[in-house]
Amino acid sequence: MGTGITRGKALLAGLAIFGIGGLGYVAFQAAGFEGFSAGIAAQAVLVVIVLVWTGSYLLRVVTGNMTYMEQRRRFRAVYDAATDEELQERFAALPPDEQERLLRELGQIEETSES
């Protein structure tokens, strides 16, 4: 089940913005603005709100501070820790000569020439 924006949520967001615009118009009229000026002021406030929201979204995209990216980072950290722990346990269970052979293959131990 995704948490993305569905058509219904997009429609509700559009209606909410329309409603906020209407409330802004009424508020500016109540504050003493004439009809046309109240409409322009309400529209200007809506434009600023949308620009700030879009700017904050773009900032989160650029910095990688999005919900999905944060969840992915947390999952990766837990996965890496569990994997490292499991590999360490498997390595510790190997006999010493197998550990040495494996470390030589990985280049962790230099080959010694025994002549």
Side-chain angles (χ1 to χ4, degrees), residues 14-27:
L15 289 174
I17 290 172
F18 183 72
I20 291 170
L23 288 174
Y25 177 77
V26 170

Side-chain angles (χ1 to χ4, degrees), residues 67-87:
T67 304
Y68 170 74
M69 295 301 289
E70 288 297 318
Q71 289 173 340
R72 191 162 186 253
R73 279 189 206 112
R74 282 195 300 267
F75 172 80
R76 187 63 193 210
V78 170
Y79 175 80
D80 287 344
T83 303
D84 290 347
E85 187 177 311
E86 183 181 342
L87 286 174

Side-chain angles (χ1 to χ4, degrees), residues 7-57:
R7 275 186 262 174
K9 288 181 184 178
L11 182 60
L12 285 175
L15 289 174
I17 290 172
F18 183 72
I20 291 170
L23 288 174
Y25 177 77
V26 170
F28 281 114
Q29 272 191 329
F33 284 78
E34 297 297 320
F36 192 66
S37 296
I40 290 174
Q43 185 176 13
V45 168
L46 279 178
V47 168
V48 168
I49 289 171
V50 169
L51 287 176
V52 167
W53 178 82
T54 304
S56 72
Y57 178 78

